[in-house]
Amino acid sequence: MWPGMALSIEIEEVLFSHKSKYQQIDIFQTKTSGKMLALDGIIQLTEADEFAYHEMLVHTPMFAHPNPQNILVIGGGDGGVLREAARHDAVKKIDFCEIDEEVIKAAKKYLPFTACGFDDPRVKIHIADGNEFLTQHQAVYDVIIVDSTDPIGPGITLFEKPFYKNLKKGLRTNGLIATQGESIFLHKECIMNLVRMTRELFPVQEYANILVPTYPGGHIGICLGSLGPEIKEPSRQIPKKILEQLKYYTPEVHKASFVLPGFAEKMLGSG
Ligand code: SAM
């Protein structure tokens, strides 16, 4: 994911290494970034900076929506997205669709700081492909969050148009989607494609950028689409109880994450 470049992270110990039906799963103890999960050799999270990605991927769409009650999370087998979604009192139900049960099992054993998301009683786990799951669940959700791997291996379908069409069909009136949006410096073609698909399907489309040191280029994007609510600002006051628990997301960061560098603005402006 870093063409012509590499990121070095000093490893102290390999805690878990296993080839599942879908992918190679590795969990490491690093020297300075805590525990780290890699799938097919690609970093998915480190204990030191996962909060930035998980808070922004969840709270940006959840606070843009006026009253998110029914949530679907696709991917995200580590549980970090669930942990953040469960902070919202309005939420009644969180369907969680992950293709690889082995990732969930490994996270529960080695990554308790994200896997605590599975403890919430509103979470219902479905082991299935996200696209197939959506074909059976239409007009159900207020917010759908896609915490996918990159467009490699089982994640490929989650970057294609039929999936985006199904995401739209999965939403209720005023629903929103937020999907993992790669790096504006390194994955231009992929991002332009995501933005183009979202723009064709949703009346409101936006792209946010977040700082995450261990993702390619030190940042990652979120591609968002909405059937109604504006996305660039929270639609309501952020409860003090939630803000006190967060380390990255604030209402100001919500707005600022949509201000992109000039080249990215130009790139996405043309769709
Ligand atoms: N935040 C991470 C990143 O961008 O590097 C992604 C983390 S999360 C571990 C990604 C999860 O998506 C994996 O557990 C993987 O098994 C799951 N996944 C991949 N393809 C999927 C699919 N088609 N349906 C459902 N889950 C999928």
Side-chain angles (χ1 to χ4, degrees):
M1 299 309 294
W2 303 64
M5 295 185 252
L7 170 73
S8 295
I9 294 188
E10 197 171 346
I11 303 298
E12 282 186 334
E13 194 186 343
V14 179
L15 299 172
F16 179 78
S17 186
H18 171 72
K19 185 148 181 54
S20 75
K21 188 174 152 199
Y22 297 99
Q23 56 214 337
Q24 173 66 35
I25 306 170
D26 294 299
I27 298 180
F28 305 96
Q29 179 63 52
T30 72
K31 188 158 183 182
T32 55
S33 301
K35 300 213 171 54
M36 176 167 89
L37 168 69
L39 295 177
D40 285 340
I42 299 169
I43 298 174
Q44 304 294 307
L45 65 82
T46 79
E47 192 170 358
D49 61 12
E50 56 81 14
F51 68 90
Y53 172 75
H54 290 135
E55 288 184 17
M56 290 300 287
L57 184 63
V58 173
H59 301 305
T60 312
M62 294 287 279
F63 282 123
H65 195 286
N67 185 25
Q69 298 188 343
N70 277 2
I71 313 303
L72 171 63
V73 176
I74 294 176
D78 51 76
V81 165
L82 297 177
R83 181 192 67 204
E84 294 306 319
R87 295 192 199 279
H88 290 251
D89 287 341
V91 169
K92 291 189 173 148
K93 183 178 171 206
I94 310 175
D95 278 331
F96 171 73
C97 175
E98 160 66 57
I99 203 166
D100 193 344
E101 198 171 11
E102 307 274 345
V103 177
I104 302 174
K105 280 190 197 152
K108 283 186 174 171
K109 185 153 183 206
Y110 296 100
L111 310 172
F113 52 92
T114 51
C116 57
F118 292 105
D119 298 340
D120 193 280
R122 294 166 293 179
V123 174
K124 182 152 191 258
I125 300 177
H126 308 264
I127 303 300
D129 171 76
N131 192 40
E132 280 169 24
F133 180 86
L134 271 174
T135 58
Q136 316 291 324
H137 295 80
Q138 300 199 348
V140 178
Y141 301 107
D142 299 307
V143 175
I144 304 178
I145 298 163
V146 183
D147 182 15
S148 63
T149 41
D150 300 299
I152 299 166
I156 290 177
T157 51
L158 308 184
F159 287 77
E160 292 173 346
K161 186 110 184 224
F163 177 64
Y164 273 71
K165 285 187 176 165
N166 284 332
L167 284 175
K168 184 179 180 182
K169 286 186 197 156
L171 292 176
R172 299 204 285 200
T173 315
N174 283 332
L176 281 111
I177 62 157
T179 66
Q180 196 264 90
E182 303 292 346
S183 154
I184 46 172
F185 278 89
L186 301 172
H187 312 124
K188 293 179 186 164
E189 280 302 315
C190 173
I191 294 174
M192 281 168 72
N193 193 37
L194 290 181
V195 167
R196 209 176 290 130
M197 289 189 298
T198 316
R199 231 170 243 169
E200 278 167 20
L201 294 165
F202 291 84
V204 186
Q205 185 281 326
E206 303 291 350
Y207 184 90
N209 191 42
I210 336 160
L211 304 173
V212 188
T214 53
Y215 280 154
H219 61 278
I220 196 163
I222 310 173
C223 182
L224 295 117
S226 162
L227 293 179
E230 286 304 318
I231 300 173
K232 282 183 165 181
E233 292 193 15
S235 67
R236 57 206 155 87
Q237 187 93 20
I238 316 296
K240 197 162 165 259
K241 186 184 91 182
I242 297 188
L243 264 189
E244 281 170 356
Q245 295 166 4
L246 304 182
K247 291 190 272 186
Y248 192 105
Y249 180 94
T250 67
E252 291 75 25
V253 170
H254 182 133
K255 290 182 245 171
S257 66
F258 293 100
V259 182
L260 301 177
F263 81 90
E265 196 60 59
K266 215 179 270 178
M267 174 174 101
L268 301 183
S270 66

